[in-house]
Amino acid sequence: MGGAQDAQFAQFVDTELTRLLNLAFALTGDHHDAWDLTQETFARIGARWDRLKDSNPGGYAHTVLVRLNVDRIRRMRREALGVIVERPAPPVESVAEVDEFFLSVLATLSPSQRTAVVLRYLGDRDLQGIADEMGCSLGTAKSHLSRGTARIRERLAPAAGGEVT
Amino acid sequence: MTMSDDDLRARFAALNDSVTPLERAASQIDRAVVRRRRRPAVVGGTLAAAAAVTAVSVALLPGLNLPSLSSGTASVTGDTASYASSEPTMDGEVGFVPIEVAGRTVGEWASAADAVVVVSAHESTPDAAVTEVPWHRVDAPRVLDLDSVPLDDDGALALGTVAGLPSEVPLSPGADYLVAIRWDAVRCDGEASGWVTLGDGAVLAMSDGAVRAESSAEPGALTGVPADPDAEVEHAFAALSGAQVGDVLDTLDLERAADLCG
């Protein structure tokens, strides 16, 4: 990759970094995990930049990040870590007060449900878009979105003093 | 009180503006890109050569029950069973058919496989159920979604039945195997697209959650460092868990091999 491509990739990082970082934060609820996902996504895109630069690298990065996160959570489920690894502080900071209760509600969803609702309500994807990004069928995407949304409403309604609908 | 879609959007919108990268973030990304580029170059010739040998027709291994595949071989329980007989490509349904793309080397797994799964051989029938999906290619055209699959009567995840494991790998009842599989969108035999296993070498016996090693001295690949794409999987993956095998495959980051009949 030459100087022009390096500059092009740097511009891409500058344009997409905040968007992808916030997507990762919505998916993980954690600065470290959000940064790890974001950095790994850019590393993969950057390594293939000469092939991706003329397509839709932003869309590709979005999908890569979503799938990396699903893999990450599955890996966490399977591997009971015997040691606690201290990680350096990520280059991320909060700029607004985070709704910790909402994050705790999102944390109760399955990885696929959380991904589907984040893509729907943060990414503004339709069902087909969700299915495409998650690599699943339309029916499966619909199921994840429906169950995830229902669970969020179920958990948030009592806190709001209302009925579950 | 009903939480509307707009309410939910507002919650997510607030979340969306909650974090920002620090200045040093871009330089960390630059370093991550450089580290990734230093990994071994992709050599796509191995799979291409295998494809040339098999020409346009995919020879299926003995013992394969094709008619049952086309009508849905998966023994999927619960609410996925309703589509099991009519739409063999839906998630939660796995009709495995081995293809003549060898899976003997790490590079072949990393380029030709879309996923690595753990299958458990049934105690009483000559097939096996997918119980775990330790790895997907990040750009896999489909993913096997455990979350969409209900538990079977024994409380285990039941994705489907492996109906066509290579005949040279006899299943021992109750044993686990690590299998490299691929989403075959364009089938040479005209069948509907579906999940297939790679050919020779694509099935590795497991023991205690790790790929069985022939001897205790046999080292597996080191995860986290670039793997040798020409290493044979039975040696390179010896004593590694499915997740560790996935880590090894990720170090290669090979471009996905094209479909044989695409």
Side-chain angles (χ1 to χ4, degrees):
Chain A
M1 194 157 96
Q5 286 194 32
D6 282 340
Q8 201 178 19
F9 178 70
Q11 177 64 41
F12 171 73
V13 171
D14 188 50
T15 304
E16 297 287 346
L17 180 53
T18 301
R19 182 180 74 99
L20 290 176
L21 183 62
N22 276 282
L23 170 67
F25 184 66
L27 289 169
T28 64
D30 178 85
H31 283 183
H32 279 100
D33 292 337
W35 172 247
D36 287 348
L37 272 180
T38 305
Q39 180 175 248
E40 177 63 14
T41 298
F42 278 116
R44 294 188 181 216
I45 302 294
R48 299 175 174 181
W49 184 247
D50 57 340
R51 295 201 297 271
L52 296 172
K53 62 183 169 55
D54 297 325
S55 52
N56 176 17
Y60 187 82
H62 201 278
T63 302
V64 166
L65 192 148
V66 166
R67 293 190 182 184
L68 279 175
N69 184 53
V70 173
D71 286 348
R72 178 190 68 88
I73 293 171
R74 285 182 176 144
R75 200 164 294 177
M76 283 167 50
R77 279 178 173 175
R78 286 188 303 271
E79 295 174 350
L81 295 177
V83 293
I84 297 174
V85 179
E86 193 169 327
R87 295 190 285 181
V92 176
E93 67 177 355
S94 295
V95 289
E97 190 174 344
V98 175
D99 184 345
E100 296 290 350
F101 178 68
F102 186 50
L103 280 181
S104 73
V105 171
L106 291 179
T108 67
L109 307 186
S110 75
S112 293
Q113 289 169 357
R114 182 168 184 160
T115 303
V117 296
V118 167
L119 290 175
R120 179 76 185 103
Y121 294 105
L122 192 147
D124 204 27
R125 299 291 194 274
D126 61 13
L127 273 178
Q128 188 61 58
I130 295 170
D132 289 345
E133 290 215 22
M134 295 181 69
C136 65
S137 69
L138 200 61
T140 300
K142 187 175 182 179
S143 170
H144 290 321
L145 179 61
S146 169
R147 291 177 186 180
T149 306
R151 176 167 286 193
I152 291 174
R153 288 183 166 138
E154 180 185 306
R155 300 292 173 99
L156 289 182
E163 296 175 358
V164 176
T165 57
Chain B
M1 189 179 91
T2 301
M3 172 154 285
S4 68
D5 275 6
D6 286 343
D7 293 332
L8 275 177
R9 281 199 175 83
R11 294 255 188 180
F12 277 105
L15 201 59
N16 194 32
D17 298 325
S18 59
V19 291
T20 191
L22 298 175
E23 263 187 45
R24 59 191 165 91
S27 60
Q28 287 193 18
I29 287 172
D30 285 345
R31 288 197 291 275
V33 172
V34 169
R35 282 197 299 274
R36 182 159 285 272
R37 284 184 191 147
R38 283 179 183 159
R39 290 177 177 174
V42 176
V43 179
T46 308
L47 182 61
V53 170
T54 54
V56 290
S57 173
V58 174
L60 301 170
L61 292 173
L64 180 67
N65 187 355
L66 257 185
S68 66
L69 172 75
S70 58
S71 60
T73 56
S75 60
V76 179
T77 59
D79 58 11
T80 53
S82 59
Y83 56 68
S85 61
S86 58
E87 297 181 53
T89 64
M90 294 289 281
D91 295 302
E93 245 177 294
V94 187
F96 289 102
V97 185
I99 57 174
E100 287 294 333
V101 175
R104 295 189 193 91
T105 70
V106 175
E108 287 165 348
W109 277 46
S111 61
D114 284 318
V116 171
V117 299
V118 175
V119 302
S120 298
H122 290 150
E123 294 284 354
S124 54
T125 56
D127 53 26
V130 176
T131 55
E132 194 180 322
V133 188
W135 179 79
H136 280 104
R137 288 185 65 86
V138 101
D139 57 351
R142 288 288 179 107
V143 294
L144 285 171
D145 192 347
L146 289 178
D147 289 330
S148 68
V149 179
L151 302 181
D152 65 16
D153 293 341
D154 298 324
L157 287 167
L159 263 181
T161 295
V162 179
L165 285 173
S167 59
E168 70 271 23
V169 184
L171 298 180
S172 299
D176 289 341
Y177 298 86
L178 196 68
V179 186
I181 65 173
R182 174 182 176 84
W183 177 260
D184 207 11
V186 185
R187 294 280 300 275
C188 301
D189 56 12
E191 291 292 330
S193 54
W195 289 98
V196 298
T197 65
L198 304 190
D200 289 351
V203 181
L204 299 172
M206 300 184 79
S207 177
D208 295 328
V211 174
R212 192 177 298 160
E214 288 181 5
S215 75
S216 57
E218 207 165 24
L222 294 173
T223 58
V225 299
D228 174 7
D230 295 324
E232 294 188 356
V233 289
E234 62 177 320
H235 301 303
F237 295 159
L240 300 188
S241 68
Q244 288 172 322
V245 166
D247 288 340
V248 172
L249 297 176
D250 279 339
T251 68
L252 285 176
D253 193 27
L254 297 189
E255 190 169 359
R256 186 176 187 269
D259 289 324
L260 288 179
C261 292

